[in-house]
Amino acid sequence: SQQGEEDPQALSIQEGENATMNCSYKTSINNLQWYRQNSGRGLVHLILIRSNEREKHSGRLRVTLDTSKKSSSLLITASRAADTASYFCATETDSWGKLQFGAGTQVVVTP
Amino acid sequence: EAQVTQNPRYLITVTGKKLTVTCSQNMNHEYMSWYRQDPGLGLRQIYYSMNVEVTDKGDVPEGYKVSRKEKRNFPLILESPSPNQTSLYFCASRKGTGELFFGEGSRLTVL
């Protein structure tokens, strides 16, 4: 079964708006990562947050992690049409090497 | 240029005809992994390798084989492909426990 599950499954917003998506997971983790995928292409790494961290930023991206709730959120601020993609969270537990992905959130940003 | 290269990118084959999808990385990464991506299911890990001659099963290893004889290569072998192995396959690699670098994917159709 999947470790991480993203919510919502799909998100449609206009340029300039913020996009927030969430990831919930089931078991304790060592780290959680967010990836982006453009239509059938390879995934691209966005941010890694470790279990002892609560928030990380990278450009217009902000990731939070709440280990007590077993959840993470990815915020994209001031979205652009080029942010249109699918976004996946991936979790790594104590079983180093088993990096498990959720089903993803499909984000569409309209001009 | 640092990259993960998969071949073939597209393949149509018939049930039972053995095939190999190659994966090569030029970043001297110890860790390599194979995923399959199916609609609504996200990415599911097939096999991974922590280093040369060390391989482990992921979540969906049935029907697949791998080998890691050299650090740079991690081929995925389908001994007797079946239609339920029709999927988009991704190879990925990383150094240590950080971000994964993905190939561009191999779209396989088994008739």
Side-chain angles (χ1 to χ4, degrees):
Chain A
S1 63
Q2 287 172 294
Q3 162 77 319
E5 293 190 6
E6 289 90 344
D7 172 64
Q9 289 184 327
L11 184 59
S12 185
I13 56 174
Q14 291 194 313
E15 268 191 327
E17 293 181 336
N18 295 341
T20 300
M21 59 210 86
N22 303 296
C23 172
S24 59
Y25 55 91
K26 297 171 186 170
T27 60
S28 296
I29 59 171
N30 275 294
N31 68 72
L32 185 145
Q33 303 178 37
W34 285 92
Y35 288 81
R36 166 199 168 113
Q37 182 184 37
N38 287 90
S39 192
R41 303 286 303 276
L43 280 74
V44 174
H45 182 264
L46 297 175
I47 289 185
L48 180 152
I49 187 165
R50 303 196 184 280
S51 60
N52 61 353
E53 297 175 311
R54 292 296 167 258
E55 188 169 314
K56 284 189 89 167
H57 295 81
S58 177
R60 294 182 295 112
L61 306 180
R62 181 173 79 103
V63 167
T64 62
L65 179 64
D66 186 335
T67 53
S68 67
K69 294 181 179 177
K70 292 188 171 58
S71 69
S72 173
S73 68
L74 170 65
L75 168 68
I76 306 173
T77 59
S79 62
R80 306 167 183 168
D83 293 328
T84 295
S86 292
Y87 293 82
F88 295 86
C89 69
T91 53
E92 188 158 27
T93 67
D94 284 336
S95 298
W96 295 107
K98 295 197 81 170
L99 197 66
Q100 295 179 300
F101 286 78
T105 293
Q106 192 169 4
V107 175
V108 174
V109 182
T110 53
Chain B
E1 181 190 353
Q3 58 187 3
V4 178
T5 304
Q6 298 179 222
N7 280 296
R9 294 288 314 281
Y10 302 91
L11 179 63
I12 299 174
T13 190
V14 295
T15 299
K17 187 176 181 181
K18 181 180 177 180
L19 69 92
T20 298
V21 186
T22 63
C23 175
S24 180
Q25 51 92 6
N26 62 359
M27 295 169 278
N28 201 35
H29 287 167
E30 292 85 12
Y31 177 95
M32 298 184 75
S33 182
W34 275 102
Y35 290 87
R36 62 177 287 173
Q37 183 175 26
D38 302 288
L41 296 177
L43 280 81
R44 292 180 292 168
Q45 192 173 37
I46 304 171
Y47 271 95
Y48 63 97
S49 170
M50 302 289 275
N51 214 324
V52 176
E53 302 291 0
V54 180
T55 62
D56 273 299
K57 295 177 180 179
D59 294 318
V60 288
E62 297 78 19
Y64 304 95
K65 284 175 57 177
V66 293
S67 68
R68 188 90 183 272
K69 294 185 172 64
E70 306 166 281
K71 199 171 189 178
R72 64 182 293 126
N73 296 323
F74 190 44
L76 179 70
I77 303 157
L78 285 74
E79 293 270 4
S80 182
S82 61
N84 65 12
Q85 291 178 298
T86 291
S87 188
L88 178 59
Y89 291 87
F90 287 101
C91 180
S93 71
R94 71 178 181 186
K95 192 168 189 66
T97 58
E99 65 178 281
L100 280 171
F101 291 82
F102 280 82
E104 283 298 305
S106 296
R107 189 169 292 280
L108 171 66
T109 301
V110 183
L111 302 174

